[in-house]
């Protein structure tokens, strides 16, 4: 896959501006932990100058693919795509990642109900799903598998079951899941939010790789409220957290430190991770829904 | 014993990086070159640095000090292998003494982070290199870095009051002072400014700081010819106005920035970006005068702004020129060659005209931009870096560019330094004395060997492109 990105890699001038956006580099200040370092390592693999070993695999996987680095790259290099492509070409896999993939690909529950809510839900969120007359399924779309650079068999199973069992409407939360539901009546849960219960000033956390449409909808929901927007990665992504626990903890603590008062995050994954370190709630927990 | 075992014995395992990924990643800076070191060390104290230098000197192992790896001429590339000394773990701001106009910092402090701290006191360290958000103070001193505000505020060298540095065979010295004035013998602290790691390793720097200006304004003037824009620069300076920045960008650069960053710079053959800082009334008067001079120099349009957001947007475009050029050509990317010459300010129009002629002669794309107000220009050459013949052509272009620069009374590098990429065009008269100094301080030639006057071959070497 990397071959496809040859020109894209050459476009990187090595200016290192990307370092200022990388939460992982911020802590270690190791070249290898910077977006530039990962691009160069990808190039080394592509040209055959270096061969894969454990350190190369770790260097390429030690990135949550938040893509905030792309926002400061003046050459607009598709850093995340390059890293992802390099991961797909890797023969080795970290044991933590293999375990996670086995868990996710091994999922095989039945999906029933006319309207379903897909997401990694805690008990409160399950109640919300019920309020929306939706059957909750505590499983994601397998984005983790793709980020690791392997085939996502989980989503194939989910989509297959949705189609086979006559599910009429799918509700999801993570905006990246949208691409899987082509041809299915699927809606983001934001479409069901009527208002939010928050009056104090807060920090709004939206992962950087959530698309513009999602961000605009969230801003609309919080219109008139006083908040500061934070797009930095908190290290919550399952595959990252499992393989790089210490870094994930430091990244979460950073977000807490930077925040102004309470944090409202727009990702259930981030909520689960961040709440261990500070005053954090998920958007769904303060939202009032248009119940149908 | 191998390099890794020697270092392990000297400073312990935890400050060493020796995996394949580390050695490969640390072989790059922001230049066209690449080579692998034998080990990477991240010292945490001056004592660590002394130990590393002692071991390296004893066993004749090269040491290549580096900050964030933003050097553009190969200064941080370990072409002879050896030890990469990554100074970023020494990153404390040790003292800020407003009443004495200085601060003391470790070499790994990032320029922007220092200025963020200084701003709390209403002060700053002005050189503002383009890489200021990521580059380190140690790296700035080692390359005498500067940027767009050098016209008014000077370069890094003008702010180095003193520093501590470790030299072979492993001894630390306190050089210079913490006083604003110092006439107490050789200004040895200045010797390390621009030394590119070939003499010693800075472990603490005493930097002069000054108050932040009250206000800023920026004028943006567009021209139908690059030559007229160059004349505009000379006319502004001749009028006795000292802007805080005076930048030039040619059409290639304007289009590259607009394409890559969507900044919306005017569609013109060339633009000048002129910043004036100081007291509000003074700025207002001067910025209008500058606009008038630009119009008289055939500017087709001049706008100016006091709005912080608009100014930040214009500067974002200017700072993004270098990487944006990489997005400009369909199958060509920008490479750092002949990228940093300085000429007398009055010769700017002749220089830019000659560069355009060279580009036409060789049918090659050259983007010209830079700090025209202080005579420091940048040219970027766009090539397909995977083709040998393109590099050969580029080397000829570089040679012609430098011949023009010297004929105009200029110099090979204004702010990026020599490294490998500019080594063949250094002033020959300086080399003998530089070699004597180098031999006296570093007799075993362990400090960043093969760089500057020691590089004797073609610049198309150790290429990072395959």
């Amino acid at each position: 896959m990397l071959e496809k990105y040859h020109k894209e890699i050459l476009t990187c001038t090595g200016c290192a501006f990307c370092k200022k956006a990388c939460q992982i580099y911020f802590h270690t200040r190791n070249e290898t932990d910077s977006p530039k370092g990962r691009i160069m390592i990808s190039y080394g693999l592509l040209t055959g100058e270096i061969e894969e070993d454990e350190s190369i695999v770790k260097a390429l996987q030690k990135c949550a693919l938040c893509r905030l680095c792309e926002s400061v790259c003046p050459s607009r290099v598709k850093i995340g795509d390059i890293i992802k492509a390099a991961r797909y070409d890797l023969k080795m896999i970290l044991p933590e990642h293999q375990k996670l993939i086995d868990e996710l690909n091994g999922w095989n529950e039945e999906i029933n109900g006319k309207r379903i809510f897909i997401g990694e839900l805690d008990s409160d969120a399950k109640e919300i799903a019920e309020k929306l007359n939706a059957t909750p399924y505590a499983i994601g779309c397998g984005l983790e598998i793709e980020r690791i650079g392997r085939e996502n068999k989980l989503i194939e199973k989910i989509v297959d079951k949705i189609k086979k069992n006559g599910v009429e409407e799918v509700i999801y939360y993570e905006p990246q899941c949208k691409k899987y539901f082509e041809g299915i009546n699927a809606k983001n849960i934001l479409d069901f939010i009527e208002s939010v219960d928050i009056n104090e000033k807060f920090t709004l956390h939206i992962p950087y790789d959530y698309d513009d449409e999602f961000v605009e909808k969230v801003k609309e929901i919080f219109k008139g409220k006083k908040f500061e927007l934070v797009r930095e990665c908190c290290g919550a992504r399952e595959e990252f957290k499992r393989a790089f626990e210490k870094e994930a903890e430091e990244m979460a603590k950073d977000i807490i430190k930077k925040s102004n008062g309470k944090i409202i995050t727009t990702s259930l994954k981030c909520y689960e991770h961040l709440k261990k370190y500070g005053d954090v709630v998920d958007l769904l927990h303060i939202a009032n829904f248009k119940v149908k | 014993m191998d390099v890794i075992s020697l270092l392990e014995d000297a400073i312990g395992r935890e400050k060493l990086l020796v995996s394949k990924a580390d050695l490969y990643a640390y072989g790059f800076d922001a230049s066209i070159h690449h080579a692998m070191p034998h080990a990477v060390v991240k010292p945490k104290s001056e004592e660590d640095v002394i130990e590393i230098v002692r071991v390296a000197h004893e066993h004749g192992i090269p040491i290549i000090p580096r900050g964030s790896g933003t050097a553009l001429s190969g200064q941080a590339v370990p072409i002879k292998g050896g030890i990469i000394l990554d100074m970023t773990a020494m990153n404390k701001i040790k003292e800020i003494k407003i009443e004495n106009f200085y601060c003391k910092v470790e070499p790994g402090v990032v320029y922007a982070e220092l200025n963020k701290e200084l701003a709390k006191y209403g002060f700053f360290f002005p050189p503002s290199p383009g890489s200021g958000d990521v580059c380190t103070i140690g790296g700035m001193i080692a390359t005498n870095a500067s940027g767009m505000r050098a016209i008014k505020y000077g370069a890094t060298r003008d702010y180095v009051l003193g520093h501590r540095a470790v030299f072979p065979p492993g001894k630390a010295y306190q050089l210079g002072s913490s006083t604003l004035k110092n006439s107490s013998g050789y200004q040895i602290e200045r010797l390390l400014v621009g030394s590119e790691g070939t003499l010693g390793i800075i472990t603490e720097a005493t930097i002069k700081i000054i108050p932040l200006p009250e206000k800023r304004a920026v004028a943006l003037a567009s021209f139908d010819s690059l030559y007229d824009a160059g004349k505009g620069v000379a006319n502004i300076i001749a009028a006795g106005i000292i802007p805080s920045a005076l930048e030039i960008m040619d059409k290639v650069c304007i289009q590259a920035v607009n394409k890559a960053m969507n900044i919306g710079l005017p569609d013109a053959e060339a633009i000048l970006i002129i910043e004036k800082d100081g007291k509000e009334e003074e700025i207002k008067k001067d910025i209008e005068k500058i606009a008038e001079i630009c119009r008289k120099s055939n500017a087709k349009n001049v706008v100016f702004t006091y709005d912080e957001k608009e100014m930040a947007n214009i500067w974002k475009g200017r700072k993004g020129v270098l990487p944006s050029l990489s997005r400009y050509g369909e199958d060509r990317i920008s490479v750092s060659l002949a990228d940093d010459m300085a000429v007398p300010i009055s010769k700017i129009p002749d220089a830019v005209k000659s560069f355009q002629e060279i580009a036409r002669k060789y049918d090659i794309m050259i983007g010209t931009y830079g700090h025209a107000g202080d005579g420091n220009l940048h040219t970027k050459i766009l090539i397909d870096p995977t083709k040998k013949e393109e590099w050969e052509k580029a080397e000829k272009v570089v040679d012609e560019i430098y011949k023009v620069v010297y004929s105009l009374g200029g110099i090979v590098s204004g702010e990026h330094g020599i490294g490998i990429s500019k080594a063949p065009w250094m002033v020959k008269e300086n080399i003998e004395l530089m070699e004597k100094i180098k031999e006296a301080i570093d007799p075993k030639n362990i400090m960043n060997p093969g760089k500057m006057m020691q590089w004797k071959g073609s610049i198309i070497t150790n290429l990072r492109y395959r």
Side-chain angles (χ1 to χ4, degrees):
Chain A
M1 264 188 102
L2 257 180
E3 184 54 45
K4 212 174 113 190
Y5 291 94
H6 194 167
K7 167 75 177 26
E8 192 64 23
I9 297 174
L10 292 177
T11 303
C12 170
T13 62
C15 71
F17 287 17
C18 52
K19 287 179 175 177
K20 71 176 169 186
C22 182
Q23 300 302 296
I24 298 157
Y25 174 78
F26 177 76
H27 282 286
T28 67
R29 309 248 170 171
N30 287 348
E31 191 67 18
T32 324
D33 294 332
S34 71
K36 174 184 164 186
R38 292 176 202 113
I39 290 179
M40 295 307 167
I41 287 169
S42 302
Y43 191 56
L45 287 173
L46 175 64
T47 57
E49 215 181 339
I50 44 169
E51 277 177 22
E52 185 180 327
D53 75 352
E54 196 192 344
S55 72
I56 302 280
V57 177
K58 276 195 173 159
L60 287 170
Q61 294 289 1
K62 201 172 172 184
C63 162
L65 285 181
C66 76
R67 295 177 187 256
L68 191 61
C69 50
E70 293 180 6
S71 74
V72 295
C73 172
S75 298
R76 294 284 179 266
V77 176
K78 293 171 186 141
I79 303 169
D81 288 351
I82 292 168
I83 296 169
K84 225 168 141 182
R87 289 176 179 181
Y88 268 99
D89 285 356
L90 291 174
K91 290 172 201 76
M92 288 166 65
I93 188 161
L94 297 175
E96 298 88 347
H97 285 172
Q98 188 59 60
K99 194 166 171 255
L100 176 62
I101 291 174
D102 291 345
E103 280 171 27
L104 293 171
N105 279 344
W107 179 86
N108 208 13
E109 281 175 37
E110 272 314 307
I111 289 187
N112 293 306
K114 297 251 182 259
R115 174 190 266 185
I116 65 165
F117 184 20
I118 284 187
E120 295 179 45
L121 316 172
D122 69 356
S123 52
D124 292 346
K126 279 180 186 163
E127 273 177 36
I128 294 161
E130 279 153 20
K131 270 192 213 167
L132 292 168
N133 297 325
T135 313
Y137 285 94
I139 186 81
C141 296
L143 290 162
E144 301 88 343
I145 308 173
E146 287 180 23
R147 286 194 295 259
I148 291 168
R150 291 294 183 265
E151 195 189 347
N152 182 0
K153 290 180 191 154
L154 173 64
I155 193 64
E156 284 171 28
K157 274 189 218 170
I158 293 175
V159 169
D160 194 44
K161 286 177 191 218
I162 287 171
K163 286 180 177 166
K164 215 165 67 188
N165 296 346
V167 174
E168 287 171 7
E169 191 176 18
V170 175
I171 303 169
Y172 61 92
Y173 191 5
E174 304 274 329
Q176 294 103 322
C177 291
K178 185 181 174 182
K179 65 178 178 187
Y180 301 121
F181 300 122
E182 232 171 83
I184 293 171
N185 179 23
K187 288 193 181 95
N188 191 287
I189 193 155
L190 297 187
D191 295 342
F192 298 86
I193 296 176
E194 198 166 47
S195 60
V196 276
D197 291 330
I198 180 98
N199 292 313
E200 67 208 86
K201 198 177 169 193
F202 59 95
T203 297
L204 181 62
H205 175 240
I206 310 179
Y208 184 74
D209 61 346
Y210 280 17
D211 61 31
D212 292 347
E213 189 191 348
F214 185 92
V215 176
E216 286 314 309
K217 277 183 184 172
V218 172
K219 282 185 182 168
E220 189 57 37
I221 289 168
F222 286 104
K223 205 173 173 181
K225 311 276 182 193
K226 277 187 189 163
F227 64 85
E228 265 176 34
L229 189 59
V230 170
R231 305 295 305 268
E232 274 100 339
C233 179
C234 68
R237 292 187 167 161
E238 195 64 28
E239 75 285 359
F240 181 78
K241 207 166 54 178
R242 288 206 192 182
F244 306 100
E245 201 185 335
K246 200 177 117 241
E247 288 82 357
E249 184 183 327
E250 279 169 353
M251 288 156 78
K253 284 179 179 167
D254 269 348
I255 301 267
I256 302 287
K257 214 160 103 185
K258 266 185 215 165
S259 65
N260 193 350
K262 186 188 278 297
I263 297 177
I264 297 171
T265 180
T266 51
S267 155
L268 285 164
K269 267 281 165 206
C270 297
Y271 165 63
E272 287 296 329
H273 183 55
L274 283 168
K275 73 177 183 187
K276 287 185 262 177
Y277 310 101
D279 185 11
V280 181
V281 290
D282 172 67
L283 166 61
L284 299 190
H285 294 85
I286 55 160
N288 300 309
F289 294 90
K290 305 169 213 171
V291 183
K292 291 178 187 170
Chain B
M1 251 176 141
D2 63 18
V3 176
I4 297 167
S5 308
L6 288 166
L7 290 168
E8 246 175 11
D9 285 354
I11 57 156
R13 181 70 185 81
E14 64 158 33
K15 294 162 195 161
L16 288 182
L17 299 171
V18 294
S19 75
K20 192 191 281 184
D22 290 321
L23 299 183
Y24 188 74
Y26 272 95
F28 297 89
D29 53 15
S31 71
I32 59 172
H33 310 289
H34 177 251
M36 299 254 279
H38 290 98
V40 179
V41 191
K42 298 194 74 159
K44 290 194 170 157
S45 65
E46 186 178 275
E47 290 70 36
D48 285 347
V49 177
I50 290 171
E51 272 307 290
I52 295 158
V53 174
R54 186 188 61 72
V55 168
H57 180 82
E58 193 182 329
H59 297 273
I61 306 163
I63 294 179
I64 301 89
R66 68 171 256 161
S68 293
T70 56
L72 288 154
S73 310
Q75 289 95 327
V77 174
I79 49 169
K80 309 267 181 197
I83 304 162
I84 286 273
L85 204 62
D86 175 354
M87 302 302 287
T88 55
M90 289 178 69
N91 57 10
K92 286 186 201 72
I93 298 172
K94 294 170 102 173
E95 252 183 73
I96 295 177
K97 289 276 183 197
I98 297 301
E99 67 276 25
N100 293 324
F101 288 99
Y102 77 77
C103 64
K104 280 191 189 208
V105 298
E106 288 188 326
V109 169
V110 170
Y111 174 75
E113 288 170 15
L114 174 61
N115 269 341
K116 202 171 152 192
E117 275 309 301
L118 293 172
K120 292 176 186 167
Y121 303 88
F123 273 66
F124 77 130
F125 168 39
S128 53
S131 58
D133 281 342
V134 285
C135 73
T136 64
I137 303 298
M140 285 177 69
I141 296 173
T143 53
N144 188 23
S146 61
M148 45 188 106
R149 299 209 167 89
I151 178 175
K152 178 171 179 182
Y153 294 105
T156 300
R157 68 177 174 196
D158 302 311
Y159 295 86
V160 177
L161 297 176
H163 47 74
R164 290 188 64 79
V166 176
F167 295 90
K171 191 174 174 191
Y173 292 86
Q174 173 65 55
L175 307 172
S177 65
S178 301
T179 56
L180 289 185
K181 293 176 83 173
N182 179 358
S183 177
S184 316
Y186 294 159
Q187 311 283 299
I188 305 177
E189 70 282 3
R190 285 286 185 101
L191 189 57
L192 261 73
V193 178
S195 65
E196 301 184 5
T198 62
L199 297 175
I201 300 143
I202 296 154
T203 52
E204 180 191 280
T206 307
I207 302 287
K208 184 172 88 174
I209 53 176
I210 61 171
L212 277 162
E214 198 178 277
K215 268 242 177 251
R216 286 196 171 116
V218 166
L220 183 62
S222 37
F223 294 82
D224 281 331
S225 99
L226 185 57
Y227 187 81
D228 280 346
K231 286 297 261 185
V233 172
N235 291 340
I236 291 166
I237 302 299
I241 300 169
I242 307 290
S244 45
L246 206 180
E247 299 288 305
I248 194 166
M249 282 168 68
D250 75 355
K251 191 175 188 167
V252 172
C253 298
I254 297 165
Q255 289 180 342
V257 165
N258 282 341
K259 185 180 169 191
M261 303 175 76
N262 200 21
I263 295 280
L265 292 173
D267 181 19
E269 281 298 315
I271 56 168
L272 292 180
I273 304 171
I274 311 118
E275 182 193 82
K276 187 79 182 81
D277 69 4
K279 301 244 178 250
E280 200 167 350
E281 321 77 68
E282 185 193 332
I283 293 175
K284 205 166 177 291
K285 202 176 74 195
D286 280 349
I287 208 84
E288 279 166 15
K289 203 168 160 190
I290 285 167
E292 192 49 39
I293 295 169
C294 287
R295 283 185 203 104
K296 282 187 180 159
S297 308
N298 294 333
K300 60 176 182 176
N301 192 28
V302 189
V303 290
F304 50 87
T305 177
Y306 301 90
D307 181 78
E308 287 294 335
K309 269 193 184 163
E310 280 178 34
M311 286 192 283
N313 192 47
I314 293 169
W315 285 130
K316 192 176 164 194
R318 165 58 192 87
K319 285 184 179 183
V321 171
L322 192 160
S324 295
L325 281 168
S326 259
R327 276 269 165 230
Y328 188 60
E330 286 305 314
D331 50 3
R332 288 183 165 75
I333 60 138
S334 127
V335 291
S336 282
L337 288 174
D339 57 346
D340 178 35
M341 63 291 293
V343 296
I345 301 165
S346 62
K347 299 293 183 189
I348 290 276
D350 298 319
V352 292
K353 198 174 158 196
S354 300
F355 300 158
Q356 284 190 324
E357 281 163 12
I358 293 167
R360 272 195 294 274
K361 179 180 166 187
Y362 285 91
D363 188 24
I364 202 162
M365 203 179 277
I366 300 179
T368 302
Y369 65 104
H371 321 304
D374 57 26
N376 187 191
L377 287 169
H378 299 307
T379 52
K380 289 285 166 194
I381 298 172
L382 273 64
I383 61 167
D384 177 346
T386 60
K387 291 191 177 136
K388 194 170 165 249
E389 59 274 21
E390 297 241 339
W391 283 107
E392 286 166 358
K393 185 157 84 168
E395 195 172 20
K396 284 181 194 155
V397 168
V398 172
D399 190 53
E400 288 219 17
I401 286 176
Y402 280 132
K403 278 180 183 150
V404 167
V405 168
Y406 276 116
S407 74
L408 295 172
I411 194 91
V412 65
S413 173
E415 61 184 12
H416 295 169
I418 301 295
I420 303 165
S421 316
K422 301 192 191 88
W425 295 278
M426 280 181 80
V427 180
K428 302 284 178 281
E429 292 83 350
N430 293 351
I431 289 178
E432 190 190 335
L433 188 57
M434 283 171 68
E435 278 170 344
K436 280 184 185 169
I437 294 168
K438 167 82 169 157
E439 203 182 337
I441 292 177
D442 178 24
K444 285 195 174 180
N445 193 26
I446 60 163
M447 296 305 304
N448 207 1
K451 303 289 170 63
M452 295 206 290
M453 66 285 185
Q454 290 187 344
W455 182 255
K456 303 293 180 196
S458 157
I459 55 167
I460 312 303
T461 182
N462 291 81
L463 289 183
R464 74 170 164 102
Y465 307 95
R466 293 280 180 273

